[in-house]
Amino acid sequence: MGSTGLTLADLPNIFIMLGALVALFVMLVILLRNMEVIGIVGEGGEARGRAWARSMPPPRVLMQRVHIPFTFKLVENLPVSYSGVECVVSSRVRYWRASWWGAPVRDLHLALWAALPDILACDHLSFEKFGPHEERRVRLATEKPPALGAPPRSRYPLVVVLARDLRDTHRLRPDDTVALVSVVHIRDEQCALPSGVIAQYLKQANGHLSCLKQLYVSGEVGPVGALDAVDALDAVDAMDAGECALCCVCASAPLSRALLPCRHACLCARCLPKLEKCPICRSDITSYFCLRNEEEPHADRKPRLALNRRLLDLFHYH
């Protein structure tokens, strides 16, 4: 008679089958829990992708520090009108200053792209010569306000040009500043935009023209505020001198990273890779640039492969 019982010879095959079934079950559970990882179902794939993106630091933008010998700013809390624009000017070099009332936009930009001698010889500008000086209060006024018309306008109310003396340009480096051009808006009945400096341009010795952007610096040295390029460089120098503005996340390391595109300078080198949004305005961090000569964190460690990060995410190790 035949026997249907199991023999010892059958046990290895049974164990192999049981092991295969257990492995298949485990793989099925993992796949069901992580279907969003491979983009099959749900919206979790996008969230997982953001988690992977957080493991990669934002790209660094290489910025060049430029020496700006001029400063120009309006005096705060004072009315601005054509009969009187109170401003503060300083210069570390000999320079020429001119005020251009009702400057046509096209003519201004044509003049900006010209060489420094051509700017100083421009027919629209009447320059006055000055020597180096600390901050000095200056009052600009015109007897006949320019006719600007209704918005959108093709003229600026006031343009102030500070340009180096040609006698001081023979030893300049290509990236040195030769002129600072400030565009001032004066509020009127037809344009309710608040009065103030709406744009500043740097003219460099190599012919490049750059538009200055505000940098928002925060830290223990004061509240969050808007600084122009010159003030931002002074703030960084103050940090290097010991007036330390601290990172707003760890509150222990000096802030050294300015975030883009929001331009908030509020993080140190170690906290930056841990965040994907600016802690001040919550906008996405797409890149950054350095304010201090500080080494990147963990420079001596070997970079971790992105595959390792994905494997950890797959098994829910965070």
Side-chain angles (χ1 to χ4, degrees):
M1 295 178 61
S3 175
T4 58
L6 297 177
T7 63
L8 293 176
D10 297 324
L11 290 180
N13 295 331
I14 294 175
F15 290 146
I16 292 175
M17 293 179 61
L18 289 176
L21 290 175
V22 171
L24 182 61
F25 177 76
V26 172
M27 290 298 298
L28 182 61
V29 170
I30 293 175
L31 288 177
L32 289 177
R33 292 183 62 192
N34 296 276
M35 289 180 73
E36 70 273 12
V37 175
I38 56 178
I40 298 178
V41 295
E43 298 180 356
E46 296 180 3
R48 189 72 61 183
R50 288 193 296 268
W52 291 344
R54 282 196 298 270
S55 66
M56 304 298 292
R60 174 180 173 180
V61 177
L62 296 179
M63 308 292 283
Q64 186 177 28
R65 186 167 180 171
V66 178
H67 173 67
I68 307 174
F70 314 109
T71 64
F72 176 88
K73 54 188 176 182
L74 300 183
V75 178
E76 297 181 357
N77 303 322
L78 287 181
V80 178
S81 65
Y82 290 102
S83 59
V85 177
E86 297 288 342
C87 55
V88 176
V89 179
S90 71
S91 176
R92 301 174 186 173
V93 297
R94 293 179 291 184
Y95 73 102
W96 296 81
R97 187 182 75 220
S99 302
W100 190 354
W101 298 92
V105 175
R106 182 177 180 276
D107 292 346
L108 171 63
H109 287 275
L110 286 176
L112 289 179
W113 283 107
L116 179 60
D118 296 329
I119 295 177
L120 293 174
C122 179
D123 295 335
H124 303 289
L125 298 173
S126 179
F127 283 98
E128 296 180 76
K129 183 180 177 182
F130 298 91
H133 60 81
E134 299 296 325
E135 288 192 348
R136 178 185 300 171
R137 191 160 168 173
V138 177
R139 181 181 178 87
L140 306 176
T142 180
E143 297 180 355
K144 184 179 180 181
L148 303 178
R153 292 170 167 172
S154 60
R155 292 175 177 267
Y156 292 127
L158 172 62
V159 174
V160 180
V161 181
L162 308 178
R164 280 182 185 262
D165 193 304
L166 289 177
R167 293 173 295 175
D168 299 332
T169 59
H170 58 286
R171 292 184 179 179
L172 291 180
R173 295 174 301 179
D175 57 347
D176 280 340
T177 301
V178 296
L180 173 66
V181 180
S182 303
V183 179
V184 180
H185 174 70
I186 300 176
R187 184 174 181 176
D188 55 34
E189 295 180 355
Q190 294 181 322
C191 185
L193 183 69
S195 300
V197 178
I198 59 175
Q200 284 189 306
Y201 300 94
L202 285 184
K203 181 71 175 181
Q204 294 175 283
N206 56 13
H208 290 173
L209 186 67
S210 304
C211 181
L212 292 182
K213 299 291 185 180
Q214 287 181 331
L215 186 65
Y216 302 91
V217 179
S218 66
E220 291 188 351
V221 295
V224 177
L227 303 178
D228 61 20
V230 180
D231 292 334
L233 291 180
D234 292 340
V236 174
D237 292 338
M239 285 188 272
D240 292 335
E243 299 178 16
C244 188
L246 299 180
C247 170
C248 69
V249 175
C250 66
S252 60
L255 67 84
S256 60
R257 300 295 183 263
L259 311 181
L260 296 174
C262 66
R263 304 196 302 278
H264 279 122
C266 56
L267 295 178
C268 65
R270 293 186 179 275
C271 291
L272 173 64
K274 302 175 184 178
L275 301 176
E276 64 173 347
K277 292 182 179 293
C278 172
I280 301 296
C281 64
R282 307 303 299 166
S283 62
D284 291 334
I285 302 173
T286 60
S287 57
Y288 72 96
F289 63 91
C290 296
L291 295 177
R292 295 164 53 93
N293 294 325
E294 183 179 351
E295 295 294 333
E296 297 289 343
H298 313 306
D300 55 341
R301 297 184 183 179
K302 294 182 179 180
R304 188 166 55 179
L305 296 178
L307 179 61
N308 293 344
R309 178 72 261 172
R310 295 194 177 193
L311 288 177
L312 291 177
D313 286 336
L314 183 65
F315 289 97
H316 290 277
Y317 288 104
H318 300 290

